[in-house]
């Protein structure tokens, strides 16, 4: 029996809306901030919010952390980015 491909290999060449979730150790290396500092900044709305992955697991969206590092992130950043991308061409 020959396997049937649901997606083609070319479908993976360009995927602009794919994001990655990073866990605490990676976030710490990228930002050089301790967990406590990030949590405090998160509560103040100055750092991206963690995403709940499971009962005992959380992570951050890589795109939001990278935007924060570049100084482009602000509360509501992801929503505004989606609006900019959907605007007139």
């Amino acid at each position: 029996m020959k396997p049937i491909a649901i997606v083609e290999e070319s479908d993976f060449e360009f995927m602009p809306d794919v994001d990655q979730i990073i866990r605490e150790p990676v976030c710490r290396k990228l930002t050089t901030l301790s967990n406590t500092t990030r949590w405090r900044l998160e509560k103040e709305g100055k750092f991206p919010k963690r995403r709940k992955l499971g009962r005992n697991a959380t992570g951050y969206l890589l795109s939001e952390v990278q935007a924060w590092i570049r100084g482009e992130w602000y509360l509501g950043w992801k929503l505004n980015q989606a609006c900019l991308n959907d605007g007139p061409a």
Side-chain angles (χ1 to χ4, degrees):
M1 178 180 245
K2 185 178 177 183
I4 299 173
I6 297 173
V7 292
E8 306 217 357
E9 190 172 328
S10 62
D11 294 336
F12 294 103
E13 290 176 9
F14 182 70
M15 300 172 73
D17 295 331
V18 175
D19 207 344
Q20 185 176 4
I21 293 181
I22 58 172
R23 301 292 301 274
E24 294 288 340
V26 175
C27 193
R28 187 179 320 115
K29 285 182 182 179
L30 290 174
T31 62
T32 68
L33 299 175
S34 69
N35 294 356
T36 306
T37 302
R38 280 194 324 272
W39 292 332
R40 182 177 43 80
L41 290 172
E42 182 182 331
K43 284 184 179 184
E44 295 172 0
K46 297 178 181 176
F47 193 82
K49 290 185 182 258
R50 288 168 282 154
R51 312 288 188 184
K52 188 109 170 124
L53 304 177
R55 193 174 66 183
N56 295 321
T58 59
Y60 296 91
L61 287 178
L62 179 59
S63 62
E64 292 183 345
V65 173
Q66 289 173 328
W68 182 86
I69 291 169
R70 290 190 306 266
E72 299 170 358
W73 185 88
Y74 52 88
L75 203 55
W77 176 81
K78 198 70 169 178
L79 297 173
N80 288 336
Q81 291 299 309
C83 291
L84 292 175
N85 292 336
D86 292 338

